[in-house]
């Protein structure tokens, strides 16, 4: 079972914040206003520290990253021996958990130009890579076994700058559709896509559109709801689905 409470994210050094999650945009603007180091705990034991560079999405105080990390560390998501793509990696907490579970190789990829210090994290091995790119456009077809993506949750209609904190929390729905296409391309047959996606009560037709896009590459009979959080205006869902195996 995914137990979100198994994973805690703390600031390495105590920090005073003016805003909290209720002021979602202001909270993230403030969180991302400077470099901050965080510590990840699993079942109350510190397991690693990571630098969240200025401008990059900071998972502190959020909900999705802990669910992914609990899934990996509790082995509900099997990362062992896999070629992993941590897409929209931000500071890299999801992929770093895969290193603990002996993934074969982890590629960390994000559009934000400030993610590169992740290369210096003590856990990163020779075979792992950190790349700035739009989704996974530079990756080869069928070259991954497991892809993670934690979609920014709020939907907007305008463009954003790649170096802004906004791209961590706001999305054009086009991003979701493009990601499904790209991930369908880079996964090997039978590979697994694990993603966090917010469904808003007033955008249910859009959620169905996401499902029909997924069906072009993924076997929807393998779709699993790994974890969810009910909220006033919708639900946060952690989903897993396998690419068609071709058998
Ligand atoms: C909700 S954050 C998740 C970050 C990280 N995976 C975590 O759990 O802490 C979404 C991430 O997607 C990235 N992102 C947004 N648009 C992207 C794009 N077109 N290509 C690659 N990454 C993108 C953002 O920069 C941000 O780091």
């Amino acid at each position: 079972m995914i137990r979100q409470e198994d994973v805690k994210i703390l600031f390495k050094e105590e920090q005073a914040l003016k805003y909290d999650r209720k002021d979602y945009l202001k909270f993230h603007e403030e969180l991302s206003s400077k470099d901050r180091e965080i510590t990840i705990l699993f079942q109350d034991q510190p397991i690693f520290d990571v630098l969240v560079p200025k401008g990059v999405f900071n998972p502190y105080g959020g909900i999705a990253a802990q669910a992914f990390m609990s899934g990996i560390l509790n082995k509900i998501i099997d990362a062992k021996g896999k070629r992993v793509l941590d897409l929209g990696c931000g500071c890299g907490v999801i992929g770093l958990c895969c290193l603990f579970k002996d993934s074969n190789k982890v590629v960390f990829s994000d559009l934000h130009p400030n993610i590169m210090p992740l290369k210096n994290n003590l856990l990163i091995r020779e075979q792992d890579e950190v790349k700035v790119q739009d989704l996974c456009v530079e990756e080869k077809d069928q070259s991954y076994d497991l892809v993670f993506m934690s979609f920014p949750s709020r939907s907007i209609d305008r463009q954003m700058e790649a170096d802004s904190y906004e791209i961590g929390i706001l999305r054009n729905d086009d991003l979701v559709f493009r990601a499904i296409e790209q991930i369908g391309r880079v996964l090997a047959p039978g590979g697994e896509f694990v993603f966090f996606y917010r469904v808003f009560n007033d955008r249910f037709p859009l959620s169905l559109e996401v499902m029909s896009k997924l069906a072009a590459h993924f076997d929807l009979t393998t779709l699993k709801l790994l974890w969810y959080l009910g909220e006033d205006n919708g639900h946060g869902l952690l989903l897993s689905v396998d690419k068609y195996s071709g058998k």
Side-chain angles (χ1 to χ4, degrees):
M1 197 169 100
I2 290 193
R3 285 189 307 260
Q4 216 206 6
E5 60 277 15
D6 273 354
V7 177
K8 293 194 182 74
I9 300 175
L10 306 176
F11 288 129
K12 197 164 174 209
E13 282 160 24
E14 207 169 304
Q15 322 243 337
L17 293 176
K18 209 159 100 196
Y19 296 98
D20 64 22
R21 240 177 87 78
K22 283 190 265 93
D23 286 305
Y24 194 69
L25 293 183
K26 287 272 173 216
F27 177 61
H28 279 283
E29 185 176 16
E30 184 184 17
L31 259 183
S32 304
S33 62
K34 60 175 189 175
D35 290 1
R36 296 179 196 269
E37 265 198 291
I38 54 173
T39 299
I40 307 301
L41 288 84
F42 179 58
Q43 295 172 344
D44 293 323
Q45 298 300 317
I47 54 168
F48 62 86
D49 292 338
V50 65
L51 173 75
V52 189
K54 182 178 174 182
V56 171
F57 178 85
N58 192 321
Y60 175 85
I63 50 163
Q66 290 96 319
F68 280 96
M69 290 192 279
S70 165
I72 298 162
L73 296 168
N74 283 314
K75 298 195 207 160
I76 289 153
I77 302 164
D78 181 14
K80 192 175 167 129
K82 306 259 173 87
R83 296 165 295 174
V84 174
L85 176 62
D86 181 356
L87 192 54
C89 62
C91 66
V93 284
I94 297 172
L96 290 172
C97 287
C98 294
L99 299 185
F100 272 92
K101 291 293 161 197
D102 300 321
S103 293
N104 185 310
K105 172 185 171 106
V106 180
V107 173
F108 299 83
S109 175
D110 201 293
L111 185 60
H112 204 293
N114 293 4
I115 62 158
M116 291 316 282
L118 177 56
K119 270 185 160 173
N120 306 325
N121 190 287
L122 296 175
L123 292 172
I124 300 281
R125 306 158 304 182
E126 215 167 280
Q127 69 265 40
D128 304 315
E129 289 180 66
V130 182
K131 293 184 178 178
V132 174
Q133 63 181 324
D134 181 23
L135 293 168
C136 44
V137 290
E138 293 162 19
E139 305 309 301
K140 292 202 182 87
D141 293 1
Q142 306 195 357
S143 54
Y144 291 94
D145 307 302
L146 178 59
V147 176
F148 294 98
M149 176 97 201
S150 183
F151 287 109
S153 22
R154 318 257 157 149
S155 191
I156 52 156
D157 286 331
R158 64 178 167 79
Q159 293 304 312
M160 288 165 284
E161 298 299 323
D163 61 354
S164 155
Y165 79 97
E166 287 190 328
I167 70 158
I169 54 170
L170 304 174
R171 65 162 196 251
N172 298 109
D173 290 321
D174 177 50
L175 174 76
V176 181
F177 301 143
R178 286 195 304 118
I180 292 170
E181 275 300 313
Q182 287 289 319
I183 295 161
R185 181 182 66 75
V186 302
L187 268 174
E192 184 180 7
F193 176 31
V194 181
F195 62 107
F196 181 80
Y197 180 66
R198 268 207 170 86
V199 175
F200 293 102
N201 294 335
D202 58 354
R203 301 287 299 268
F204 204 65
L206 175 70
S207 313
L208 294 176
E209 212 176 333
V210 169
M211 289 298 143
S212 65
K213 295 267 186 227
L214 276 173
H217 300 277
F218 296 90
D219 178 354
L220 292 192
T221 65
T222 66
L223 186 66
K224 288 185 288 230
L225 177 60
L226 300 178
W227 180 82
Y228 80 96
L229 180 76
E231 296 173 310
D232 290 346
N233 55 353
H235 285 77
L237 310 176
L238 184 68
L239 296 160
S240 157
V241 68
D242 294 347
K243 182 169 161 171
Y244 287 114
S245 65
K247 285 181 196 151

